[in-house]
Amino acid sequence: MTLPDSFIQRQQLDASMADTFLEHLCLLDIDQEPIVARNTSIVCTIGPASRSIPKLQEMVKAGMNIARLNFSHGTHEYHGETIKNIREAVDTITSDPLYYRPVAIALDTKGPEIRTGLVKGSADNEVQLEKGAHVRVVTAEEEKDSTDGKVIWVDYPSLPSVIQPGGRIYIDDGLIGLKVLETGPDWVEAVVESGAVLGSRKGVNLPGCDLLGMPAVSERDEGDLRFGVSQGVDIVFASFIRSAQDVREVRRALGPMGRDIKVVSKVESRQGVQNFQEILAESDGVMVARGDLGIEIPAEKVFIAQKMMIGRCNSAGKPVICATQMLESMVSHPRPTRAEGSDVANAVLDGADCVMLSGETAKGLFPVKAVAMMHSICREAEAANFHQQLFEELRRLTPLSSDPTEVTAIGAVESSFKCCAGAIIVLTTSGSTVTLSSTSDSCNTHTVMYTTHTSTSQLSNPLSVSLSLSQVWSSPVQVPPSLPHHCCNQESPGGSPVPAAEGRVPGAVSPSARARLGGRPGQQSLLRHGHRKGKGVLQVRRHGDCGDGMDPWLGTH
């Protein structure tokens, strides 16, 4: 096959033309450069190590797409200051088209989780638990600050009634293991099977126990979600989702004012895995939360659950996030282990839309380096994906549709293979076209999303659309607010201005967009847009040249 000189996706090109998956693997080349633009989004947990404005600016430039706030810790005042810092950090770099990207803010709920109390009354204290030592786990409210080497307080009053002698209690992602010897009215006597240093407010897991009196949305969660709505967060990471009803409870708590906030369900229990299909149907996306999941189910089965959930999300066209300990060693070291690098790459190769950093950016010594490393690994992994085979499999699995937006999304991706396009440019007001394109887009093209500033509704607000698409496997390059927008030379029957495609094209293929994607004159690209504003309207697909001073569109299909 003769390829045009302008073809930009040279990365792993021989492997991408393979006939079989085994041949594709054999043709991968370590000397190939990675792709220019990254499609996989990076979620960063914001904490004491990363909440300052200068540090946030560095993280955005390094590749952060979503800022996660863990509401298991901190007050509303603390999180409010963090949200303000995130937005200020992004606003200060809007004038730089090379580094500008909208950053979504995600609220991670505490959920129906169990945690220990403060060690000796202080959040900074720690205590060593030695193997073989006897400890008493207590639940009385008056003992919540009494945790030391002999007593551990947990915030779950029903603990003695749900666990039996011989059962296990795991603390801090399984670092500490206790075997239950005896239970009382408000205490459990246990022996330490695996010892470690215990800090304050650590998570507790009770594998195999039916947790009584643990609602999906607690009173604290209700208050946190109302606070999130008032702060205008974009996404909610709903913790410990066990059924579709749990997702509906989260939506109820968000209320009418939060109806546009995306709900991503964190699956981190055996019950959640067993009810995964109904959870997926009710959610806007899913997070594979491997920390607690690896304790609730055997560690050797976590990869099976991960691959199953990612596969089903890909088939359903919903974003999926892979999380927990992805670059854990970078909490205290400037480079990850080789196994961690492979873990991130394999999550991308499995089909994850986002990968997440937790302690690496929240409390680590090298938050910016962790984001940069994640960015580099994702670029390499995306180039090594067997995109054409994945596209064919997705097309076979997807039911036939008469929806013009969905049909042209599939057609655009297929055309991108045939003309070796370097980008699929999507002009959108609601974001639905981008979502469908990225669902079908298993090829390694990139999405330039161009929106307008003509509507006051949240769904048509360009920043809101950009943020809602932060989880989608694409490379949304929204034109920064400081750059000129070519739009509003048509009007809809209702009188509101409608951006004409021809007016919007110059901004979509502007030098800033080409710089982000690595494009250059002579490179082929695809344009998708509707002939008028709104969902379900006739979709037009064109392909042409992104070069300067040249007629950019060769024809209409």
Side-chain angles (χ1 to χ4, degrees), residues 460-520:
S460 294
N461 180 281
L463 184 58
S464 296
V465 174
S466 299
L467 297 177
S468 70
L469 294 171
S470 295
Q471 309 164 81
V472 174
W473 199 86
S474 64
S475 182
V477 184
Q478 184 203 5
V479 178
S482 59
L483 297 181
H485 291 267
H486 304 76
C487 60
C488 304
N489 54 358
Q490 291 184 4
E491 285 197 358
S492 67
S496 61
V498 178
E502 284 70 18
R504 290 180 287 170
V505 166
V509 292
S510 65
S512 62
R514 284 201 305 276
R516 285 284 296 279
L517 296 174
R520 63 184 187 280

Side-chain angles (χ1 to χ4, degrees), residues 14-15 33 38 75 79 110 163 239 338 403 496:
D14 290 340
E33 290 295 319
R38 168 176 49 85
T75 63
H79 290 301
K110 180 179 183 296
I163 197 164
S239 297
R338 312 309 178 260
D403 176 30
S496 61

Side-chain angles (χ1 to χ4, degrees), residues 284 312-319 394 435 438-439:
D284 296 310
R312 291 192 185 185
C313 287
N314 288 169
S315 180
K318 292 190 176 183
L394 284 171
T435 302
S438 66
T439 299

Side-chain angles (χ1 to χ4, degrees), residues 357-373:
L357 295 167
S358 301
E360 301 93 330
T361 53
K363 63 179 182 180
L365 301 177
F366 309 98
V368 178
K369 285 187 176 181
V371 179
M373 178 58 69

Side-chain angles (χ1 to χ4, degrees), residues 350-403:
D350 283 345
D353 299 278
C354 310
V355 285
M356 192 174 97
L357 295 167
S358 301
E360 301 93 330
T361 53
K363 63 179 182 180
L365 301 177
F366 309 98
V368 178
K369 285 187 176 181
V371 179
M373 178 58 69
M374 187 78 89
H375 169 75
S376 298
I377 297 171
C378 290
R379 289 172 62 202
E380 294 283 2
E382 288 170 21
N385 223 330
F386 197 7
H387 303 284
Q388 191 159 351
Q389 181 195 56
L390 180 57
F391 171 67
E392 293 296 337
E393 291 176 355
L394 284 171
R395 190 166 61 171
R396 285 198 300 270
L397 285 171
T398 304
L400 294 175
S401 173
S402 59
D403 176 30

Side-chain angles (χ1 to χ4, degrees), residues 152-289:
I152 300 174
W153 181 84
V154 298
D155 59 359
Y156 183 43
S158 300
L159 174 66
S161 59
V162 301
I163 197 164
Q164 302 297 323
R168 261 69 178 182
I169 301 173
Y170 292 104
I171 303 173
D172 195 8
D173 282 340
L175 290 177
I176 297 171
L178 309 178
K179 182 180 179 181
V180 176
L181 302 176
E182 184 183 358
T183 62
D186 59 357
W187 54 266
V188 170
E189 195 73 27
V191 62
V192 179
E193 286 193 321
S194 54
V197 174
L198 174 64
S200 298
R201 304 290 300 155
K202 297 300 180 182
V204 178
N205 294 91
L206 308 173
C209 294
D210 186 11
L211 301 183
L212 304 174
M214 296 283 284
V217 181
S218 65
E219 290 185 13
R220 173 174 172 175
D221 290 331
E222 293 252 9
D224 291 342
L225 291 171
R226 286 193 297 268
F227 173 78
V229 172
S230 69
Q231 292 288 316
V233 301
D234 308 286
I235 308 167
V236 166
F237 293 160
S239 297
F240 290 94
I241 295 297
R242 295 163 290 182
S243 66
Q245 181 58 35
D246 290 351
V247 185
R248 289 190 283 269
E249 285 296 311
V250 174
R251 294 195 189 279
R252 177 197 59 76
L254 287 171
M257 297 297 293
R259 64 183 179 276
D260 295 323
I261 296 176
K262 304 299 182 184
V263 177
V264 174
S265 297
K266 295 173 64 177
V267 177
E268 41 196 334
S269 67
R270 177 180 290 274
Q271 188 177 356
V273 175
Q274 292 170 339
N275 296 331
F276 183 76
Q277 203 58 40
E278 67 174 64
I279 292 172
L280 177 61
E282 195 68 31
S283 307
D284 296 310
V286 169
M287 180 188 292
V288 184

